[in-house]
Amino acid sequence: MELINGKEIAAQIKMEIAEEVQKLREERGRPPHLAALLVGNDPASETYVANKEKSCAEVGMLSSVYKMPENITEEELLKTINFINNDDEIDGLIVQLPLPRHINTSKVIAAVCPQKDVDGFHPVNVGRMVLGQPTYLPATPMGISMLLEKTNIDTEGKHCVVVGRSNIVGTPVSILLSRNAKNANCTVTLCHGKTRNLSEICKTADILIVAVGQCEMITGQYIKEGATVIDVGMHRISDPSKKSGYSLKGDVKFDEVAPLCKYITPVPGGVGPMTIAGLIINTLKAYKKLIEN
Ligand code: GUN
């Protein structure tokens, strides 16, 4: 079994980007600038946004966090997005999800101009991804693809089983890995809440990607010996022995599954840092104006 060190791979990617940013900011007179909208006080979302800010600083990018109260109206949120869309000094804009229930998430995502949509969530950018056209790839699927590439895991013709069909991870990663492209060309099975015989299907996976949001759901029974397992889950479990008061667990029962795998991502330090690297890559793309509106 070999651990896939997402933290190290992400650090390498960020170092390369930092060099490019340093060169470009001299030419262009300002660094790349990412804006993040954070609504409410969800501790996980606050941590994600803080980590994104930290990574921006590490690579020499500017970031601005627009913090808004839980009870903000949809109209006010849309107004802020419109304001940022029209700000020439801001290259990328993300709205941290999930949003409070009274806000229509689809409407908010569609309000971000596609050129600044560095999450790759806008319907125009999702369409471009499906068609294989230049776009912002969503950060976690891109991060997973880069992990496989940098670990030299052969994907061509391999059976990839994805568990979870969210718009953010499961659905786009299934599309990305099934495309006719380098580091893709998998035969993909997308499993979800209505899938029958889930463990039997997972057991046929050469590459198993788990993004269900259920702590330690995937046990040894789901694993083919020698598989590659990518764990997208992130759960805070109360743990008084830790300084923070919690420890992090994935969707995969690591201790049981790891001995069966050829490669596996740890939690933390696997997919998480790669998601942020993906966002940084997209922000640089936005700054270079590589994607159309
Ligand atoms: N919430 C969970 N993952 C993500 C992500 O990649 N981007 C945003 N904006 N929100 C998220």
Side-chain angles (χ1 to χ4, degrees), residues 173-214:
V173 83
S174 73
I175 291 164
L176 208 56
L177 290 181
S178 59
R179 296 201 303 194
N180 184 2
K182 221 174 124 229
N183 303 302
N185 274 314
C186 289
T187 304
V188 177
T189 303
L190 180 56
C191 300
H192 45 74
K194 300 283 189 286
T195 296
R196 294 179 193 169
N197 308 325
L198 180 64
S199 65
E200 282 90 4
I201 295 170
C202 290
K203 232 176 159 27
T204 67
D206 303 307
I207 300 169
L208 179 64
I209 300 175
V210 191
V212 270
Q214 275 194 53

Side-chain angles (χ1 to χ4, degrees), residues 37 45 48 52 93-98 119 121 138-141 168-169 275 279:
L37 263 62
S45 289
Y48 291 143
K52 289 169 187 177
L93 164 59
I94 61 164
V95 182
Q96 188 63 33
L97 303 179
D119 262 329
F121 292 168
T140 303
I168 296 181
V169 186
T275 295
L279 177 66

Side-chain angles (χ1 to χ4, degrees), residues 25-151:
R25 67 182 292 172
E26 282 168 29
E27 276 170 34
R28 300 185 184 205
R30 69 162 180 88
H33 188 172
L34 172 70
L37 263 62
L38 176 60
V39 182
N41 301 299
D42 175 50
S45 289
E46 282 177 345
T47 304
Y48 291 143
V49 169
N51 286 338
K52 289 169 187 177
E53 280 191 278
K54 186 167 155 257
S55 287
C56 279
E58 282 167 9
V59 300
M61 293 182 179
L62 271 180
S63 64
S64 306
V65 177
Y66 292 72
K67 230 176 156 317
M68 301 175 164
E70 180 85 17
N71 64 358
I72 190 174
T73 64
E74 190 176 283
E75 195 188 344
E76 273 180 283
L77 185 55
L78 292 172
K79 247 195 231 165
T80 309
I81 291 172
N82 195 39
F83 178 79
I84 298 170
N85 280 341
N86 291 310
D87 185 335
D88 291 340
E89 307 248 304
I90 296 180
D91 305 290
L93 164 59
I94 61 164
V95 182
Q96 188 63 33
L97 303 179
L99 291 170
R101 290 169 67 93
H102 67 277
I103 291 175
N104 181 336
T105 301
S106 305
K107 205 164 155 185
V108 168
I109 288 172
V112 176
C113 78
Q115 200 169 53
K116 295 192 179 186
D117 167 40
V118 287
D119 262 329
F121 292 168
H122 190 285
V124 163
N125 286 325
V126 176
R128 289 168 175 163
M129 179 199 60
V130 173
L131 297 170
Q133 296 171 358
T135 188
Y136 301 111
L137 297 177
T140 303
M142 190 204 318
I144 292 170
S145 173
M146 292 190 298
L147 273 185
L148 296 171
E149 180 188 352
K150 305 273 183 193
T151 315

